[in-house]
Amino acid sequence: MKARVRGAVVVVTAAATAAVLAACGDDGTTGSGGGSRPRIGVLLPDSTTARWETNDRPLLDRRIRELCDECTVEHANAKNEVAIQQAQMNSMIAEGVDAILLVAVNSRSLRPTVAKADEAGIPVIAYDRLAEGPISGYASFDGEEVGRLQGRALLEAMGDTVPRGRIVMMNGDPTDPNAVSFKRGALSVLEGKVEIAKAYDTGQWRPEIAHMNMSGAISALGAGTIDGVYAANDGLAAGSIAALKANKVAPLPPVTGQDAELGALRRIVAGEQYMTVYKPFEPEAAAGAAMVVAAARNESLDRVAEDTVRTDSGHTVPAVLLTPVSVTVDTIDDTLVKDGVHTVQEICTPQLAAACERAGLT
């Protein structure tokens, strides 16, 4: 059965209880293979996407320490460079950490390093992105559902222009398995309903590449002929919108997004971006923390995971797959503000005061 956001909290709470009962020892030993003071490596991919350092890192820290106050956590951020992440992971393997939580910059390129960790007896938990190689578990959201939510929202926003409308697809990095899932989910909704006039894969999820691609699409198609933009995340939405505005496209076509970044919420309130996809950080971090702590202690992951995923090698591993939430201007208050992700004061800058009032954000 697929884990929902609410259900995942129950699962993780159970994991936390079990972890407290299995309290860490105090003899001070460390290293891979069940030392009493587990060492956990957390490898994040970049600082371009705001969520990694702003949300995931502090939440993972807190959750890991709640489950195991004797655990030590070592962080590294790859700054979007495969070679840097490989070196960071190799360093953690050499140090003999007990488990690694990995958000791979490039899943295919990291495969040999994941295999090296496995050979060293160090379990790897893939977080948010399904890494290639012999991983031990996976904590993320249903990627295809993210794409379906984006596709449905775009069709709704386009309204009367469906089915003859023309869209530009600004997909994510093709080396990221999540981007592949988002694209597959979106296409399952959009194909046959709209004309996909241009489609781009955006290397490293870089907004500036999205800007360049959108500028090219406008030149090729004409400024007034784009009825909608599928942008796989908020960074790509920002780059696409900047290009549309620079080319004097008005009114702006509806643009999708993902990650519920603060800048995206301001664009949504301002009417520049139609929607984003909210993937609640708290339950994802809770699930990832529960899995990596259990892995560090050589405990079964089955008790903290309700789902499974099939890896690139055909093996089935325990997983927690959470349900994403579509957010438009009408639902910001009931989702992100209610959950404490962003406050009305953060979203509603003085320039957005009138728009926020119209949206009921006061």
Side-chain angles (χ1 to χ4, degrees):
M1 183 181 75
K2 186 158 288 183
R4 304 297 178 191
V5 170
R6 193 178 298 271
V9 176
V10 175
V11 172
V12 174
T13 301
T17 302
V20 169
L21 292 174
C24 296
D26 59 0
D27 66 2
T29 59
T30 60
S32 178
S36 63
R37 296 175 61 85
R39 299 168 64 197
I40 293 171
V42 174
L43 292 170
L44 300 178
D46 63 73
S47 53
T48 304
T49 304
R51 61 167 292 187
W52 301 124
E53 294 292 340
T54 303
N55 298 103
D56 293 86
R57 176 171 170 166
L59 285 170
L60 285 164
D61 275 0
R62 178 164 62 82
R63 282 292 189 170
I64 289 170
R65 290 193 168 96
E66 284 174 356
L67 294 169
C68 178
D69 60 4
E70 294 294 318
C71 285
T72 58
V73 182
E74 299 180 22
H75 303 93
N77 189 306
K79 309 297 183 186
N80 241 334
E81 296 290 341
V82 169
I84 291 176
Q85 191 166 65
Q86 288 171 329
Q88 291 168 341
M89 196 163 175
N90 280 327
S91 176
M92 289 185 178
I93 294 169
E95 291 173 12
V97 298
D98 293 281
I100 294 172
L101 185 141
L102 171 68
V103 190
V105 172
N106 182 311
S107 296
R108 190 172 298 117
S109 298
L110 265 293
R111 193 182 199 285
T113 320
V114 172
K116 183 177 179 180
D118 182 66
E119 292 167 2
I122 301 172
V124 175
I125 303 300
Y127 182 76
D128 197 74
R129 302 173 181 174
L130 185 60
E132 293 189 11
I135 62 171
S136 297
Y138 180 48
S140 188
F141 283 80
D142 184 335
E144 289 195 28
E145 179 62 12
V146 170
R148 288 190 289 268
L149 289 176
Q150 293 169 322
R152 292 181 197 124
L154 187 58
L155 292 180
E156 178 183 338
M158 290 172 65
D160 292 341
T161 62
V162 177
R164 62 184 180 278
R166 305 173 83 194
I167 72 166
V168 173
M169 289 194 77
M170 203 65 63
N171 301 301
D173 190 328
T175 66
D176 179 350
N178 276 0
V180 176
S181 295
F182 305 150
K183 181 178 178 179
R184 186 184 303 122
L187 288 174
S188 73
V189 173
L190 295 172
E191 284 185 321
K193 301 286 182 62
V194 295
E195 176 194 348
I196 301 172
K198 290 286 183 181
Y200 301 92
D201 292 328
T202 312
Q204 297 186 330
W205 294 94
R206 291 189 179 276
E208 61 270 25
I209 298 177
H211 187 288
M212 179 183 67
N213 290 340
M214 182 56 67
S215 296
I218 295 167
S219 295
L221 301 172
T225 67
I226 299 170
D227 299 302
V229 177
Y230 169 82
N233 78 351
D234 292 334
L236 303 188
S240 299
I241 290 166
L244 289 164
K245 292 169 70 175
N247 283 274
K248 309 275 192 267
V249 175
L252 290 172
V255 181
T256 65
Q258 177 187 179
D259 288 332
E261 292 183 358
L262 181 57
L265 300 183
R266 290 172 178 166
R267 290 191 296 272
I268 290 171
V269 171
E272 296 178 346
Q273 182 172 327
Y274 180 69
M275 63 84 72
T276 187
V277 175
Y278 170 38
K279 299 186 298 185
F281 303 114
E282 180 76 35
E284 185 179 21
M291 295 186 86
V292 77
V293 168
R297 289 174 166 160
N298 291 319
E299 298 171 353
S300 171
L301 299 184
D302 292 331
R303 64 185 181 82
V304 299
E306 290 187 348
D307 299 293
T308 59
V309 295
R310 188 173 294 275
T311 67
D312 63 297
S313 58
H315 293 100
T316 299
V317 299
V320 175
L321 299 177
L322 305 165
T323 302
V325 179
S326 179
V327 176
T328 64
V329 68
D330 296 324
T331 57
I332 290 174
D333 196 35
D334 290 335
T335 53
L336 295 152
V337 174
K338 182 179 179 181
D339 288 358
V341 178
H342 299 294
T343 66
V344 170
Q345 290 72 28
E346 288 173 328
I347 299 167
C348 295
T349 62
Q351 294 85 350
L352 292 175
C356 280
E357 187 172 351
R358 287 193 297 273
L361 293 170
T362 55

